[in-house]
Each structure stands twice: as structure tokens, then as C-alpha cells.
Amino acid sequence: MGGPSEGSVDVDALAAGASEAEPPLGGFGNDLLALFYTSGTTGLPKAVMHSHFSSLASAQIWLEVDRDQDSVMGTGAIIWGIGFPALVGPAFYAGMTLVLEQDWGPSNFLKVVPREKVTHVSLIPSFFSALLGSDEHEGVDLSSLKAIVLGGEPLLPALRERIMKRVPG
């Protein structure tokens, strides 16, 4: 933006030459749905392509997880791009109630899960490292949790065992 430079695309020139007409609707399969930027496990920023298929696959995970009319998906604020296709959309797609919290850190998690009877969460393993790394979780009723989907980073066997011991169901 701001004019042309060597080895780059002039976004201003592209925008100036763009049509004002609405683009045709449609997108499916491997068509690009969105680019989400992440540092991932490398710590280096990169764009991750999500297609319509990958978004649908995320939603379908929740159709294969046991749930019923009382299931509640708990999540933090959807400030990161993958939040909607990975959590909000799938929760609605699977017919779950959705609890959105601005703060989804361990302390608030320990308040919200028992209060809202959250049954389903999708988190990264390091969240549970932080949660179980202090005594704050002891004595908190997490028995409503029925399904925990973890991703985004490796899950070490020792942490998996700690999670399963703390949330045995």
C-alpha cells in the first residue's frame, strides 16, 4: 500500500482498477475461504490457508463428538481469525449453546465452566499446562466437561495423563 515498489504489488492501483460490482457468490471444496496468520510452533509468522472443506471438517468434528440438547461449547473471545470456522460456526452447526467470554484464561475458565455448565471446549495443550500448573484448579467442579479437543501444538503424554486425571470423564 502507498504506491509501487520493487518486488511488490501496488494494492492501491489494484483497488483503483477494481469493479464496484459484487463478486459472484459461490465457493466450495478446495476454494480458499480465508487466510489465517499464525506463528504456530515455529514462532515465525505465516499464512495458513483454510478452504471450505477445512472449515466443514472443523465443524464435522463436533458432529462426531458425543453431545445432546444440553451441550454447551465454551470459548474465549473470537479475536483470532480461525475462531469462527473452528468454534463458533461448528458449535451452531452441531446445535450447541455457545458461551463466549472476553477472558478465557485459566482463572476465568475455572469460574465459567462450573457457572455455565460448559461441556465442550477446544483449546491448546499449553492452556492446560497453565491451568494445572497452579493450585487454583483444585476444588473447582469441572465435572460438566465431557469433551476436550486439543490442537495447535504437540500434546505430551505426561500432560495428557494430567488432564485425564483432573477431568476423568
Side-chain angles (χ1 to χ4, degrees):
M1 298 184 72
S5 65
E6 188 177 332
S8 68
V9 174
D10 185 350
V11 176
D12 294 324
L14 285 175
S19 169
E20 292 293 323
E22 289 290 324
L25 292 179
F28 54 92
N30 286 322
D31 291 344
L32 181 65
L33 174 68
L35 292 174
F36 297 111
Y37 290 87
T38 178
S39 60
T41 55
T42 66
L44 299 173
K46 59 189 165 290
V48 176
M49 296 185 342
H50 283 276
S51 67
H52 291 267
F53 277 155
S54 69
S55 185
L56 181 60
S58 295
Q60 287 175 327
I61 289 170
W62 292 106
L63 292 180
E64 295 175 15
V65 171
D66 286 342
R67 68 193 188 295
D68 59 31
Q69 69 273 8
D70 297 322
S71 295
V72 178
M73 169 75 85
T75 185
I78 303 301
I79 59 171
W80 45 287
I82 192 67
F84 185 83
L87 297 174
V88 176
F92 290 148
Y93 185 67
M96 292 187 209
T97 299
L98 182 67
V99 175
L100 289 172
E101 288 287 320
Q102 182 64 28
D103 173 9
W104 199 237
S107 292
N108 201 43
F109 177 89
L110 293 171
K111 294 174 190 162
V112 174
V113 169
R115 183 186 75 216
E116 301 295 333
K117 304 290 187 244
V118 172
T119 58
H120 294 68
V121 294
S122 179
L123 296 161
I124 57 175
S126 58
F127 175 89
F128 279 97
S129 291
L131 180 76
L132 301 175
S134 78
D135 296 337
E136 192 177 359
H137 71 93
E138 293 178 12
V140 176
D141 182 9
L142 299 179
S143 64
S144 64
L145 289 172
K146 305 296 180 211
I148 299 170
V149 173
L150 297 172
E153 61 190 31
L155 174 61
L156 299 176
L159 179 57
R160 179 180 180 274
E161 294 304 317
R162 288 177 62 205
I163 294 168
M164 291 178 70
K165 183 178 178 183
R166 179 59 179 92
V167 188

